[in-house]
Amino acid sequence: MRHDSSIVAFQQKRGGDCAAFFVPFLTSDMILLDAGCGPGTITAALAGLVGRAVGVDIEPKAIAAANQLAARTGLTNVAFIEADMTAVPFEDGTFDTVLFHAVLYHQSKAVLARTLAEARRVLKPGGLVATRDADVGGNVLHPELDGVRLALDLWQRWYEHDDPASLRFGRRQGSILRAHGFTPVWAGASYVNHSADAESRSEAVADARRSLLGLGPQLVSKGLATDDEIQIALAGWEAWGRDPDAVYFRCRCECVARKD
């Protein structure tokens, strides 16, 4: 997955709420792997519920931010390692559970297959894999301004999905995990609310502006967008933010499956 500083900054706002669906499955004696951990906020939130938590991410900036978080919070049962989740540096059967939050739908079919095979390898027999990922078809947006829709499309272009069905990855997590040798035991969904009140709407606009300004030059240089499209997207978010009744709920589908 492509990273830049704006993506890492946005990821730092994730925390325990993002993995709340998985909490009932965790016990204090478990060893947990957070694959694609980003700046470590979810890993850190779950560390207090398990015996040991390890986060891996391929992006050095993310791991640096995660290590700073661990030092700042004084966590002693968490570690962060720079590694590719298709080839993590752990022995077979090391972990009781592996978590993937908002990382799998970005992957090509080949990378997804290698990633889930690696998760199976490092899981103990009977271990659990938990996934929470996007489903664009479940998003709720009002008003549906062209500029905001364009902004969402620009972010999809950034990841250059090779499979159009990946935009509805969330609802297919159970069948995907089953196809890769896991047995789903639970499924659900939740929403990230970017419009609870005026403050959260303002924050959503600021995040969108920061991301578009950060990614815009790179999108343009790669021929994935034009300068005019970036400006239209920025104007769309500004207009959305001025509407006191605007809503944006991002759908996140969730699944827990077992390694038999």
Side-chain angles (χ1 to χ4, degrees):
M1 177 177 28
R2 293 172 174 171
H3 282 73
D4 86 337
S5 58
S6 62
I7 293 175
V8 172
F10 180 76
Q11 289 175 328
Q12 286 177 318
K13 297 181 179 180
R14 300 181 305 170
D17 289 349
C18 295
F21 76 99
F22 196 38
V23 170
F25 295 90
L26 301 177
T27 60
S28 60
D29 59 344
M30 283 182 166
I31 304 174
L32 178 147
L33 174 65
D34 183 1
C37 66
T41 51
I42 294 176
T43 323
L46 295 180
L49 303 174
V50 297
R52 180 168 173 78
V54 180
V56 299
D57 201 286
I58 198 171
E59 171 55 48
K61 292 178 183 177
I63 292 300
N67 282 321
Q68 290 171 5
L69 172 64
R72 190 167 62 248
T73 56
L75 291 169
T76 59
N77 69 329
V78 65
F80 295 103
I81 300 170
E82 184 181 335
D84 187 330
M85 61 187 175
T86 65
V88 293
F90 306 110
E91 296 182 358
D92 296 0
T94 297
F95 296 95
D96 298 286
T97 182
V98 177
L99 171 67
F100 295 100
H101 183 277
V103 292
L104 292 182
Y105 101 112
H106 296 304
Q107 313 306 327
S108 68
K109 290 181 179 180
V111 173
L112 177 64
R114 294 200 303 271
T115 298
L116 292 177
E118 189 70 343
R120 279 188 58 82
R121 182 186 69 78
V122 299
L123 272 175
K124 298 175 182 177
L128 298 175
V129 60
T131 62
R132 185 175 190 254
D133 231 317
D135 195 300
V136 173
N139 290 345
V140 178
L141 177 66
H142 173 79
E144 296 194 24
L145 301 175
D146 289 343
V148 177
R149 285 291 182 193
L150 175 59
L152 299 179
D153 180 58
L154 292 175
W155 288 320
Q156 300 306 327
R157 295 182 203 175
W158 173 255
Y159 291 112
E160 292 184 329
H161 296 291
D162 66 349
D163 178 6
S166 64
L167 300 183
R168 287 173 170 77
F169 182 92
R171 69 189 66 185
R172 299 185 293 116
Q173 288 175 112
S175 61
I176 290 169
L177 290 173
R178 192 182 301 278
H180 289 276
F182 297 94
T183 300
V185 297
W186 184 90
S190 59
Y191 281 85
V192 181
N193 186 354
H194 294 285
S195 51
D197 50 30
E199 182 179 356
S200 59
R201 284 191 295 273
S202 177
E203 185 176 343
V205 173
D207 279 336
R209 182 174 179 80
R210 187 181 306 111
S211 177
L212 288 166
L213 291 175
L215 297 179
Q218 299 171 74
L219 283 164
V220 172
S221 69
K222 293 178 181 295
L224 298 173
T226 66
D227 288 321
D228 285 346
E229 285 181 314
I230 302 299
Q231 293 306 312
I232 291 170
L234 287 166
W237 274 107
E238 293 293 341
W240 178 90
R242 289 193 295 271
D243 187 333
D245 299 315
V247 297
Y248 178 33
F249 308 138
R250 279 194 305 147
C251 180
R252 289 291 181 263
C253 296
E254 302 150 350
C255 187
V256 179
R258 183 181 64 249
K259 172 186 173 179
D260 294 323

